[in-house]
C-alpha cells in the first residue's frame, strides 16, 4: 500500500545538513519525492510504501544537529517523482516561526581530512561540511543557501560541485563547500604592505612571527582576534597599551583538552562546555601560569578551544595562544581588512586575513561553572546567537526589546519565541551603537519580524531607549529574565543585585528585593541608599565611593575618626578629598544609590585590595579572589560572630544597613588579614540577603526566589545564598540560558510584554 505526504518541518533545520539527511533517509527506505528550503522551514514531499513512509517520518527527528519544533504531516494525492528523491532549489516563503543556524566549530571528520596528506583539502584553512563552519555570521538572507550567504562570492569548481550533489558525501548540499581551487584565500600582511598570498607560506610566516613575540590580527568566523604567545611579556604589555586594557585578564586558546588540563583544573562538566558547539571561553581554576601579564592576579584562566581550521593549524605549531577580541577599548570587534589595516605597524605586527566577508560580528561566548554546580553564561555570542529562547507565554504582537546600554543585547519576539542578538558592548561608544543599529535591521530582515511594539529601560538617558514606547525598570527585567527561563508562575521574590539601574523613585537601585506576580512588581526590600559623589566616576573610583560611605557614617554619628585621620595624613589626596566632602555636603554631582556593586567597591577599597575599576567589576573580582584565599584561614563556626549586617523594616520595606556593615568591617582591620575580612564581608552580605529573603517569603507566603544581576557572577556570594535558602526549603532559580548581567535583560523585558 502506497502513501504520499507533504511534511512541513520547522525548528533548527537549516545550515546543519538537514536536507541531505532527509534525502539519504528517503533513499535508504526506497522512497521518492523531494525536499526544499521554504523561507526558514523545510518542505518535504515523500511517496512510497506506507510502512516506509511512516518510518521516514518517525526518523526525521534523528537528524544530527537539528531541533524539530513542529512537524506537520498532510496526506496528498499521489505524485510521481520518477523513483528518485531530489534536493530541489529553495523558495522564499513566509512562516510564523523562523530559525537561523548558528556558527559551528570544525567537526572531527573535517579535521581528519585536513590532516590527511592524500586529501585534496590537506591543510586547507576553510575546510567545512554540512556539520560545521560559519553560518549566522555570513548569512545575508533566508533561506540559508549558497546564494544567500557570503560564500556566493566563490563559484564552486567541478570537483566541489560533484561532491555537492553526490549521495552519501559529507558535503552534499553543504552551502560552505570550498577547496583550494575555488574557495576563500588566506593572506599574510605585515608592515610596508608586505603581502604573502601563498596559503601555506602565509601560515608559516604567521607561526614564525607568533613564536618571535609578535602580535597578529587573525580573522576568525565572527571577526578578528588579536593573538600572541602567552609566554611573551613584551607582546602582552604592548597589546595592553594598544587596547587600553591595563589589568583585565586575556583569554588563552589551547589546541585540545589535554593542553587545557596542563594549565587548569577541568571537571567533566567543564570539559563538556569547552567542547560544546559554541566553543566558548570558560573560566577555569588555574593550576599553572603563563607570564604574569596574561592573567595578572586572577586565580583563573579564560580558556577556549579552536573553532575553525586556521586556528587549529596555527596552534599545532605555536602551542597555546592568547586570543582576545580584535578591537580597542570599548569598540566593536573588527570584521574587515580595511578597518584593521591602519593598525599594522602601530599596535599590531601582522594580519592573517582572508576574503570571505563577515556580515555579523560575533565575539566569543563566555561561561563559568559556579560552585553550586550551575552553569552560568557571562556573554551570549558566537555559537549561541540568534538561537531563540522559548517562553511559556505568547507575545500579543511582534515586539522589539531594547535591552540596556551596557553589555548591549537586543531582542526580537514573535509568539512564544525570543531571538536575542549577539553582544555589542557598551553603547557609549558610537561605533558600538552603529553596529547595533545595523544588527537590528539585519535581524529584522532575516527573521521577517518588523515590531509593532517596543520596550526599553526606565533610564531616561539610555541610548537604547530611543524610539521605545514602553519602559521597564531595570531590576524588574533582571528578575523577569529568570522567571522567563524557568517558566515560573505565581508569586516570586526576585533578588537583583548589580552596579546600577534607574529606580522608579529617581534614585539608583542595585540591591533589590522585588515582589513579582503576573507582570507586576513592588519593591519590598533593598540595601540602604547612600549618597554617592562623582556621578559616573563613582563606578570607577572605589576609593571615592568608600569616602562617600564614610561621610554618611560620620553623619550618622558612627566613630570613623580613624579613617578620616588616615585621609588627612595623605598629603597628595587631602585637597581633593576636602573638595569631595564639600560636594557631598552640598549635594553637588551626588546621587542616592543602593548599588551592591558600589558596596563591594567600597569594601575592596577599605581593605586595601583594590582602589578602582580599570575594567568593569575589577574591585569586586579582586575582593572575591581575596575571599577565596581567606576562607581557608577561618574557623567557620565563628563567622557569624565576627560581622553581621543589620536588617530592619522601615515603612513596610526591609532594609540592610550597608553603611554600618562597612564601619564594623573597618573596626576589624587591625585584627585580621584583608583576605580573611574579604571572605567575612561576603559571608555577612550573603547572610543579610538570606535573612531578608526568608522574612519576606514568610510574610508573603512565597516559596520561589530568583537571583539575577551581575553581582551573582560572584561565586562565593552565589554559593552561600543558594545553599542557605535551600536549607530553608526555598526553591532558588538563577539565569542559565542568558547572562545574569545586563546581557540578559532584553529577555526579561520581552517576557513582561506578554502580560
Amino acid at each position: 500500500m502506497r502513501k504520499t505526504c507533504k511534511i512541513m518541518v520547522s525548528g533548527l533545520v537549516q545550515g546543519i545538513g538537514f536536507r541531505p539527511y532527509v534525502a539519504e533517509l528517503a533513499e535508504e527506505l526506497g522512497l521518492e519525492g523531494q525536499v526544499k528550503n521554504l523561507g526558514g522551514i523545510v518542505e518535504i514531499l515523500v511517496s512510497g510504501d506506507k510502512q516506509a513512509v511512516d518510518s521516514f517520518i518517525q526518523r526525521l527527528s534523528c537528524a544530527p544537529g537539528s531541533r524539530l519544533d513542529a512537524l506537520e504531516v498532510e496526506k496528498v494525492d499521489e505524485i510521481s517523482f520518477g523513483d528518485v528523491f531530489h534536493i530541489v532549489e529553495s523558495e522564499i516563503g513566509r512562516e510564523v516561526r523562523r530559525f537561523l543556524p548558528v556558527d559551528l566549530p570544525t567537526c572531527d571528520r573535517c579535521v581528519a581530512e585536513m590532516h590527511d596528506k592524500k586529501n585534496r583539502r590537506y591543510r586547507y584553512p576553510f575546510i567545512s561540511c554540512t556539520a560545521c563552519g560559519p553560518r549566522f555570521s555570513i548569512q545575508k538572507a533566508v533561506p540559508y543557501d549558497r546564494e544567500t550567504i557570503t560564500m556566493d562570492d566563490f563559484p564552486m569548481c567541478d570537483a566541489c560541485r560533484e561532491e555537492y550533489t553526490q549521495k552519501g558525501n559529507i558535503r552534499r548540499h553543504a552551502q560552505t563547500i570550498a577547496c583550494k581551487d575555488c574557495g576563500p584565500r588566506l593572506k599574510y600582511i605585515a608592515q610596508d604592505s608586505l603581502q604573502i598570498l601563498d596559503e601555506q607560506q602565509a601560515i608559516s610566516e604567521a607561526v614564525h612571527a607568533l613564536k618571535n613575540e609578535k602580535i597578529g590580527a587573525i580573522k576568525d568566523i565572527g571577526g578578528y582576534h588579536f593573538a600572541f604567545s602567552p609566554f611573551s611579556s613584551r607582546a602582552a604589555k604592548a597589546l595592553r597599551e594598544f587596547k587600553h586594557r591595563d589589568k583585565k585578564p586575556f583569554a588563552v586558546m589551547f589546541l585540545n583538552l589535554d593542553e587545557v588540563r596542563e594549565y587548569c583544573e577541568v571537571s567533566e562538566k567543564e570539559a563538556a562546555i569547552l567542547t560544546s558547539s559554541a566553543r566558548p571561553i570558560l573560566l577555569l581554576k588555574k593550576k599553572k601560569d603563563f607570564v604574569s601579564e596574561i592573567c595578572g592576579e586572577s586565580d583563573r584562566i579564560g580558556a577556549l578551544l579552536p573553532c575553525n581550521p586556521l586556528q587549529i593549524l596555527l596552534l599545532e605549531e605555536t602551542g597555546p595562544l592568547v586570543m582576545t577580541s580584535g578591537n580597542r577599548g570599548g569598540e566593536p570587534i573588527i570584521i574587515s581588512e580595511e578597518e584593521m589595516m591602519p593598525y599594522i605597524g602601530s599596535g599590531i605586527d601582522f594580519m592573517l586575513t582572508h576574503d570571505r566577508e563577515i556580515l555579523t560580528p560575533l565575539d566569543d561566548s563566555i561561561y563559568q561553572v559556579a560552585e553550586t554546580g550551575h552553569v552560568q553564561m557571562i556573554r551570549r555570542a558566537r555559537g549561541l546567537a540568534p538561537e531563540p529562547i522559548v517562553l511559556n507565554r505568547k507575545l500579543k504582537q511582534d515586539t522589539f526589546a531594547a535591552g540596556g546600554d551596557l553589555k548591549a543585547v537586543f531582542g526580537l519576539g514573535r509568539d512564544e519565541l525570543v531571538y536575542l542578538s549577539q553582544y555589542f558592548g557598551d553603547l557609549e561608544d558610537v561605533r558600538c551603537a552603529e553596529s547595533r543599529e545595523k544588527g537590528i535591521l539585519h535581524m529584522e530582515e532575516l527573521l521577517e519580524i518588523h515590531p509593532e511594539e517596543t520596550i526599553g529601560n526606565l533610564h531616561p538617558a539610555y541610548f537604547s531607549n530611543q524610539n521605545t514606547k514602553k519602559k521597564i525598570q531595570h531590576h524588574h527585567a533582571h528578575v523577569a529574565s529568570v522567571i522567563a527561563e524557568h517558566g515560573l508562575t505565581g508569586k516570586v521574590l526576585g533578588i537583583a543585585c548589580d552596579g546600577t539601574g534607574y529606580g522608579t523613585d529617581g534614585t539608583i537601585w542595585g540591591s533589590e528585593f522585588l515582589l513579582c506576580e503576573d507582570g507586576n512588581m513592588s519593591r519590598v526590600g533593598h540595601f540602604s541608599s547612600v549618597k554617592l559623589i562623582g556621578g559616573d566616576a563613582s563606578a570607577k573610583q572605589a576609593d571615592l565611593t568608600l569616602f562617600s560611605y564614610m561621610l554618611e557614617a560620620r553623619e550618622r554619628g558612627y566613630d570613623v575618626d580613624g579613617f578620616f585621620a588616615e585621609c588627612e595624613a595623605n598629603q597628595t589626596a587631602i585637597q581633593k578629598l576636602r573638595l569631595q566632602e564639600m560636594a557631598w555636603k552640598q549635594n553637588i554631582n551626588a546621587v542616592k544609590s543602593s548599588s551592591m556593586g558600589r558596596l563591594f567597591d567600597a569594601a575592596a577599597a577599605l581593605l586595601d585590595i583594590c582602589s578602582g575599576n580599570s575594567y568593569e567589576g575589577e574591585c569586586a573580582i579582586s575582593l572575591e579572589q581575596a575571599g577565596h584565599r581567606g576562607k581557608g584561614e577561618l574557623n567557620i563556626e565563628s563567622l557569624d560572630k565576627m560581622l553581621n549586617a543589620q536588617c530592619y523594616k522601615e515603612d513596610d520595606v526591609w532594609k540592610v544597613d550597608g553603611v554600618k556593615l562597612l564601619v564594623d568591617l573597618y573596626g576589624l582591620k587591625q585584627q585580621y588579614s584583608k583576605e580573611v575580612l574579604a571572605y567575612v564581608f561576603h559571608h555577612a552580605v550573603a547572610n543579610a540577603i538570606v535573612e531578608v529573603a526568608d522574612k519576606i517569603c514568610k510574610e508573603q507566603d512565597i516559596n520561589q526566589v530568583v537571583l539575577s544581576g551581575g553581582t551573582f557572577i560572584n561565586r562565593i556570594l552565589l554559593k552561600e545564598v543558594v545553599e542557605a535558602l535551600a536549607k530553608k526549603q526555598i526553591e532558588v532559580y538563577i539565569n542559565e540560558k542568558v547572562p545574569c548581567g545586563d546581557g540578559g535583560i532584553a529577555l526579561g523585558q520581552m517576557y513582561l510584554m506578554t502580560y
Side-chain angles (χ1 to χ4, degrees):
M1 181 177 176
R2 287 182 66 81
K3 180 177 180 179
T4 303
C5 294
K6 181 168 81 170
I7 306 166
M8 305 298 286
V9 186
S10 63
L12 185 56
V13 289
Q14 292 190 11
I16 46 82
F18 185 72
R19 286 183 300 162
Y21 172 83
V22 168
E24 287 170 17
L25 177 60
E27 289 157 0
E28 176 192 331
L29 295 170
L31 301 173
E32 59 183 87
Q34 67 179 43
V35 59
K36 67 180 175 182
N37 284 336
L38 183 64
I41 63 177
V42 170
E43 180 190 86
I44 304 167
L45 289 169
V46 64
S47 184
D49 177 77
K50 180 182 181 301
Q51 188 174 353
V53 171
D54 291 341
S55 176
F56 172 83
I57 294 169
Q58 186 177 18
R59 290 170 63 184
L60 283 176
S61 61
C62 300
S66 69
R67 192 197 65 245
L68 276 58
D69 293 316
L71 192 150
E72 300 173 11
V73 181
E74 176 188 354
K75 284 188 178 181
V76 296
D77 293 337
E78 188 168 336
I79 307 169
S80 175
F81 295 95
D83 293 325
V84 293
F85 196 95
H86 304 273
I87 298 176
V88 300
E89 288 189 11
S90 302
E91 293 181 12
I92 297 173
R94 191 182 192 282
E95 61 288 339
V96 174
R97 294 172 179 82
R98 183 169 283 184
F99 296 84
L100 306 176
V102 300
D103 297 272
L104 298 170
T106 310
C107 70
D108 291 342
R109 289 184 300 180
C110 283
V111 172
E113 286 191 12
M114 185 175 69
H115 288 143
D116 182 0
K117 292 182 179 180
K118 297 178 181 178
N119 192 285
R120 71 188 192 90
R121 292 186 179 88
Y122 175 61
R123 290 183 61 82
Y124 181 53
F126 304 100
I127 189 171
S128 67
C129 68
T130 56
C132 65
R135 299 290 192 266
F136 179 53
S137 59
I138 62 172
Q139 188 169 3
K140 295 188 287 187
V142 169
Y144 177 84
D145 274 328
R146 185 74 166 208
E147 300 78 37
T148 59
I149 61 177
T150 60
M151 285 297 295
D152 68 339
D153 292 335
F154 306 97
M156 285 181 237
C157 64
D158 290 342
C160 283
R161 174 64 64 182
E162 182 180 351
E163 291 175 326
Y164 185 78
T165 56
Q166 188 178 55
K167 293 180 181 180
N169 196 293
I170 65 171
R171 294 182 181 83
R172 185 182 186 184
H173 278 263
Q175 305 308 326
T176 55
I177 188 172
C179 70
K180 298 174 183 179
D181 295 327
C182 66
R185 302 294 298 176
L186 201 62
K187 179 168 55 174
Y188 177 93
I189 304 174
Q191 294 184 44
D192 302 322
S193 299
L194 168 68
Q195 293 193 19
I196 298 174
L197 302 180
D198 178 87
E199 222 149 44
Q200 298 311 311
Q201 189 181 346
I203 293 171
S204 296
E205 194 64 33
V207 167
H208 177 76
L210 290 166
K211 285 182 173 181
N212 283 275
E213 303 190 84
K214 302 295 185 182
I215 300 169
I218 298 173
K219 195 172 182 182
D220 182 21
I221 285 176
Y224 283 88
H225 276 117
F226 290 142
F228 65 90
S229 169
F231 304 103
S232 171
S233 292
R234 187 211 70 78
K237 289 174 182 175
L239 193 61
R240 287 199 177 280
E241 183 177 350
F242 176 69
K243 281 177 68 80
H244 312 300
R245 181 171 170 167
D246 293 339
K247 297 180 181 178
K248 188 177 182 181
F250 287 122
V252 180
M253 182 176 284
F254 298 87
L255 180 61
N256 51 43
L257 275 176
D258 288 341
E259 211 173 61
V260 178
R261 289 189 174 104
E262 184 181 342
Y263 289 86
C264 309
E265 294 182 10
V266 184
S267 69
E268 196 172 310
K269 183 180 289 187
E270 288 167 333
I273 296 168
L274 280 169
T275 56
S276 69
S277 61
R279 288 294 193 274
I281 297 170
L282 180 62
L283 304 181
L284 296 170
K285 189 172 181 182
K286 184 165 57 179
K287 279 169 43 178
K288 178 179 168 183
D289 212 347
F290 300 102
V291 295
S292 60
E293 292 84 2
I294 304 302
C295 302
E297 297 178 1
S298 177
D299 60 349
R300 296 193 287 178
I301 292 175
L304 72 163
L305 296 176
C307 71
N308 66 56
L310 178 58
Q311 291 172 344
I312 295 169
L313 291 170
L314 291 173
L315 289 162
E316 285 174 342
E317 297 190 56
T318 64
L321 290 173
V322 166
M323 284 281 181
T324 187
S325 298
N327 56 9
R328 303 190 78 175
E331 297 176 4
I333 189 169
I334 294 172
I335 61 173
S336 74
E337 184 178 315
E338 292 72 26
E339 286 180 274
M340 187 62 74
M341 187 67 79
Y343 296 137
I344 304 296
S346 59
I348 307 302
D349 298 304
F350 70 91
M351 177 166 38
L352 192 58
T353 188
H354 57 77
D355 53 357
R356 183 177 63 208
E357 183 184 4
I358 297 170
L359 292 179
T360 301
L362 292 167
D363 284 281
D364 299 306
S365 296
I366 306 176
Y367 283 88
Q368 74 172 8
V369 177
E371 293 179 9
T372 58
H374 290 95
V375 176
Q376 289 183 286
M377 190 181 296
I378 298 173
R379 186 165 73 198
R380 189 177 189 269
R382 180 182 47 75
L384 300 170
E387 176 77 3
I389 292 170
V390 183
L391 305 179
N392 67 339
R393 298 174 56 83
K394 282 193 175 184
L395 292 155
K396 298 177 178 65
Q397 50 200 330
D398 289 358
T399 304
F400 169 78
D405 276 19
L406 305 178
K407 300 182 177 66
V409 169
F410 66 82
L412 293 172
R414 171 176 289 166
D415 292 337
E416 74 277 19
L417 298 182
V418 180
Y419 303 87
L420 295 177
S421 74
Q422 71 272 30
Y423 165 91
F424 288 97
D426 297 345
L427 299 185
E428 64 181 11
D429 186 287
V430 67
R431 287 154 296 192
C432 290
E434 290 171 351
S435 180
R436 175 179 177 271
E437 289 303 304
K438 290 178 184 176
I440 292 171
L441 294 174
H442 188 50
M443 270 187 65
E444 285 182 352
E445 290 300 319
L446 285 176
L447 295 167
E448 275 200 23
I449 294 178
H450 302 286
E452 303 159 72
E453 190 59 271
T454 56
I455 184 168
N457 197 290
L458 190 63
H459 198 299
Y462 265 18
F463 175 90
S464 56
N465 278 346
Q466 293 180 8
N467 304 317
T468 54
K469 299 174 189 174
K470 297 187 178 180
K471 316 291 183 190
I472 291 290
Q473 200 280 323
H474 183 86
H475 300 95
H476 190 195
H478 269 309
V479 171
S481 71
V482 186
I483 295 172
E485 276 195 39
H486 297 278
L488 304 180
T489 57
K491 281 186 180 180
V492 173
L493 175 62
I495 304 173
C497 298
D498 62 6
T500 182
Y502 191 80
T504 58
D505 59 358
T507 67
I508 300 302
W509 292 6
S511 55
E512 311 310 309
F513 295 79
L514 306 178
L515 180 60
C516 300
E517 185 176 17
D518 296 336
N520 299 311
M521 173 273 283
S522 59
R523 191 189 195 197
V524 291
H526 60 88
F527 277 60
S528 53
S529 291
V530 177
K531 183 168 61 175
L532 301 181
I533 45 176
D536 292 341
S538 65
K540 295 187 177 180
Q541 299 176 30
D543 49 2
L544 183 58
T545 298
L546 173 61
F547 192 63
S548 295
Y549 268 93
M550 288 309 194
L551 287 171
E552 178 100 8
R554 187 166 68 180
E555 187 97 340
R556 291 196 205 171
Y558 293 124
D559 181 8
V560 287
D561 290 344
F563 173 81
F564 287 100
E566 291 173 17
C567 292
E568 291 283 343
N570 187 342
Q571 295 300 316
T572 58
I574 188 59
Q575 191 62 37
K576 177 184 175 183
L577 292 175
R578 283 174 180 160
L579 289 172
Q580 298 293 358
E581 183 175 1
M582 289 173 60
W584 189 88
K585 288 179 177 178
Q586 296 176 32
N587 293 313
I588 299 171
N589 198 22
V591 63
K592 295 284 281 186
S593 171
S594 62
S595 167
M596 184 67 79
R598 301 296 78 77
L599 179 64
F600 270 68
D601 287 352
L606 178 67
L607 297 176
D608 303 314
I609 290 171
C610 190
S611 62
N613 292 308
S614 66
Y615 61 90
E616 187 186 8
E618 181 182 355
C619 287
I621 291 168
S622 299
L623 189 69
E624 179 192 346
Q625 289 173 175
H628 279 292
R629 295 192 297 270
K631 184 177 180 180
E633 302 177 29
L634 277 167
N635 177 355
I636 301 297
E637 294 180 2
S638 67
L639 265 177
D640 294 341
K641 299 176 184 177
M642 291 176 64
L643 186 67
N644 279 291
Q646 182 182 353
C647 306
Y648 59 97
K649 198 170 187 181
E650 182 178 81
D651 300 327
D652 291 326
V653 175
W654 282 97
K655 296 183 179 179
V656 181
D657 192 344
V659 174
K660 180 65 162 57
L661 180 64
L662 289 179
V663 170
D664 292 344
L665 185 67
Y666 178 73
L668 297 171
K669 276 188 71 173
Q670 302 304 316
Q671 303 174 52
Y672 301 96
S673 71
K674 60 185 179 183
E675 290 80 12
V676 164
L677 292 182
Y679 178 70
V680 168
F681 171 79
H682 279 85
H683 184 73
V685 171
N687 275 356
I689 290 172
V690 171
E691 181 181 342
V692 172
D694 185 44
K695 291 180 184 298
I696 295 171
C697 284
K698 287 174 179 174
E699 288 176 352
Q700 301 289 339
D701 191 25
I702 298 173
N703 193 47
Q704 299 178 122
V705 169
V706 308
L707 310 177
S708 192
T711 301
F712 284 110
I713 287 293
N714 186 299
R715 294 163 291 165
I716 299 175
L717 190 68
L718 181 70
K719 182 175 187 289
E720 299 218 351
V721 171
V722 168
E723 291 181 351
L725 287 173
K727 286 179 182 177
K728 296 179 181 294
Q729 308 303 309
I730 295 173
E731 296 289 335
V732 185
Y733 302 88
I734 71 167
N735 290 109
E736 296 177 61
K737 295 178 183 176
V738 299
C740 65
D742 287 5
I745 63 172
L747 175 63
Q749 292 169 345
M750 192 75 76
Y751 178 77
L752 292 170
M753 291 298 288
T754 65
Y755 287 95

